[in-house]
Amino acid sequence: MNKIIVLILLILLTPLLLLICTVIIIEDPWSVFFVQERIGVNNDIFKIIKFRTMKRDAPNVSTDKLNNPQYFILKTGKILRKLSLDELPNLFNIIKGEMNFVGPRPAMPSQTELNVKREKLGVHKLKPGITGWAQINGRDEISIDKKVELDYYYLQNKSFFLDLKIIFLTLSKVLKTSNISH
């Protein structure tokens, strides 16, 4: 069912996706996509696909680890991040079976503390999502412990209706562009 919804979304979003690709190429030519290893279900590694929001020469680390992240973020990238449009290529990860619409956001392998805490509580058994309970309850502004607590809540209460609630609250947060630090 997820794959059918994704295919419909991709068809509907094609003009927007092409526009984003064009704008990225104009600002910083080629490679419109950013591909990075992430932790998936059962701690399997997969490659997440996102729109590139940083300059080609940016270090491959999380934005919060950069001394001056604003130097590396493209002008287009600021807008894409603010509206979470950089995540649209995650739809291809759903088609590949690596992600869901809802679940814990996939961590980088280097985020050891987060990954260890998730595994301790069994959160690692969940397929990661484009959005999740932690994203709508703080996103970039919460501590690792709070993020894991929220991910664990989702694990314990996962349901179709909770997923719907998360999706609708995500759309609301995106439109308000709240809880984004970079």
Side-chain angles (χ1 to χ4, degrees):
M1 183 63 156
N2 273 349
K3 290 180 183 184
I4 293 169
I5 294 169
V6 169
L7 290 173
I8 293 168
L9 279 172
L10 286 172
I11 291 167
L12 294 173
L13 293 172
T14 295
L16 176 62
L17 298 172
L18 290 173
L19 176 66
I20 292 170
C21 290
T22 303
V23 173
I24 292 171
I25 289 170
I26 289 169
E27 185 174 354
D28 193 32
W30 302 115
S31 185
V32 296
F33 297 110
F34 172 71
V35 178
Q36 185 180 56
E37 286 189 346
R38 294 292 176 104
I39 302 292
V41 65
N42 294 318
N43 292 328
D44 288 339
I45 302 288
F46 75 99
K47 294 186 187 283
I48 196 168
I49 306 164
K50 300 172 78 166
F51 278 122
R52 185 168 60 88
T53 60
M54 300 183 88
K55 296 176 183 176
R56 285 177 286 152
D57 62 344
N60 191 6
V61 297
S62 61
T63 309
D64 62 320
K65 301 285 188 246
L66 295 171
N67 290 334
N68 184 8
Q70 297 309 317
Y71 170 77
F72 293 104
I73 298 174
L74 299 171
K75 291 174 191 163
T76 303
K78 289 177 186 174
I79 297 165
L80 293 176
R81 286 175 175 222
K82 190 172 190 178
L83 298 173
S84 296
L85 295 174
D86 60 321
E87 307 291 349
L88 286 176
N90 289 176
L91 295 171
F92 295 109
N93 292 110
I94 292 176
I95 290 174
K96 292 169 64 178
E98 299 163 330
M99 291 179 70
N100 284 328
F101 283 103
V102 179
R105 278 300 293 165
M108 294 188 299
S110 62
Q111 293 175 293
T112 309
E113 182 182 0
L114 175 61
N115 293 322
V116 167
K117 289 180 178 193
R118 281 179 169 174
E119 185 168 0
K120 186 175 180 181
L121 293 176
V123 173
H124 70 292
K125 294 177 185 175
L126 292 170
K127 193 176 282 190
I130 293 176
T131 188
W133 190 242
Q135 280 60 49
I136 62 165
N137 285 290
R139 206 170 174 174
D140 292 340
E141 297 179 349
I142 57 175
S143 69
I144 288 173
D145 287 335
K146 184 67 176 172
K147 188 177 292 187
V148 172
E149 177 187 320
L150 292 165
D151 289 339
Y152 183 67
Y153 173 88
Y154 178 73
L155 173 68
Q156 297 298 307
N157 296 282
K158 189 176 182 315
S159 71
F160 175 75
F161 292 108
L162 181 57
D163 284 0
L164 279 180
K165 179 178 181 177
I166 291 169
I167 289 168
F168 285 116
L169 289 171
T170 297
L171 293 173
S172 171
K173 292 263 184 189
V174 166
L175 294 174
K176 292 179 189 173
T177 63
S178 58
N179 301 113
I180 303 170
S181 55
H182 301 290

